[in-house]
Amino acid sequence: MTALLGDPVDIAVVDYGMGNRRSMEKALEHVGASACVTSDAGRLRAAAGLVVPGVGSFPRAMANLRELRLDELLLERVAGGTPVLGVCLGMQLAFERSSEHGGSEGLGIVAGEVRELRAGSLKRPHIGWNEVRLASAGSELVTGLPERCAFYHVHSFVAVPARSQDVLGVCEYGEQFASVVGKDSFYGVQFHPEKSSAAGLRLLANFARMCAAAPTLSGR
């Protein structure tokens, strides 16, 4: 993993009251980005890229996003081509719906649903390092990573994309599930890159480069 070259790119970590916001901010700074944790609409609209972290309940997370009107802002930024990275629950929120705690509608950026992980005889939640098999075609998000790469997962629910082309990487824990997804300018990872050592930092550095290369606000 190498740091970014040139001026630090501005990446905002979306603060909706849930998730590992500070550790994500520090990890982004470690790879050379200028990061901040904020719920301020102006700062979120001005940033070159957004990261949506998340740990906890899908319905509660969506309620928080809607209360802060950050759901509309995220849809606006993705529609404008801004790179957005969802992490763990932040990835799941991009889907159309979740069955967690009676069900809730999601952002609908990625077609599909979120349901319980079918772990069989294995313990839930799924906690620990597991190998992710990245798509051979790959994407800029996983540039420089081996086709099989271990990342740190913590989750009991999984996203089930409706379209196979949105799946960029899969993991297996009782069943095979999507661990990396991509749709337009949205990318999601079920694991925690900020807890995944060199491979996680490489992924975050790749994301920061994608943000730096994205069109400026004036060009959108």
Side-chain angles (χ1 to χ4, degrees), residues 34-47:
S34 174
C36 68
V37 177
T38 183
S39 60
D40 179 76
R43 295 193 73 182
L44 292 171
R45 285 193 173 94

Side-chain angles (χ1 to χ4, degrees), residues 4-28:
L4 294 168
L5 299 176
D7 295 332
V9 62
D10 182 24
I11 300 177
V13 179
V14 181
D15 184 1
Y16 61 103
M18 300 177 73
N20 47 330
R21 292 154 285 174
R22 295 301 176 189
S23 57
M24 181 60 70
E25 179 185 34
K26 290 179 181 179
L28 288 166

Side-chain angles (χ1 to χ4, degrees), residues 142-184:
V142 295
T143 295
L145 291 170
E147 185 178 341
R148 295 177 181 271
C149 194
F151 293 97
Y152 191 81
H153 293 74
V154 183
H155 63 115
S156 296
F157 283 75
V158 294
V160 184
R163 308 189 321 157
S164 60
Q165 58 264 47
D166 294 338
V167 179
L168 302 179
V170 297
C171 183
E172 188 161 333
Y173 185 82
E175 66 169 333
Q176 183 173 281
F177 61 89
S179 192
V180 188
V181 301
K183 173 67 165 58
D184 299 329

Side-chain angles (χ1 to χ4, degrees), residues 69-148:
R69 301 190 70 176
L70 296 178
D71 56 335
E72 298 173 2
L73 187 146
L74 287 169
L75 292 172
E76 171 192 315
R77 301 268 8 224
V78 170
T82 300
V84 177
L85 176 66
V87 173
C88 196
L89 176 60
M91 163 183 156
Q92 296 176 4
L93 295 173
F95 284 76
E96 295 173 298
R97 68 191 70 84
S98 172
S99 63
E100 187 175 2
H101 295 321
S104 175
E105 296 299 307
L107 295 170
I109 297 168
V110 185
E113 63 179 5
V114 175
R115 60 157 173 78
E116 280 190 284
L117 170 65
R118 297 167 183 166
S121 61
L122 300 176
K123 291 182 180 180
R124 263 198 344 228
H126 169 206
I127 301 177
W129 293 84
N130 270 80
E131 184 181 81
V132 175
R133 190 172 76 251
L134 301 171
S136 56
S139 78
E140 292 180 78
L141 186 68
V142 295
T143 295
L145 291 170
E147 185 178 341
R148 295 177 181 271

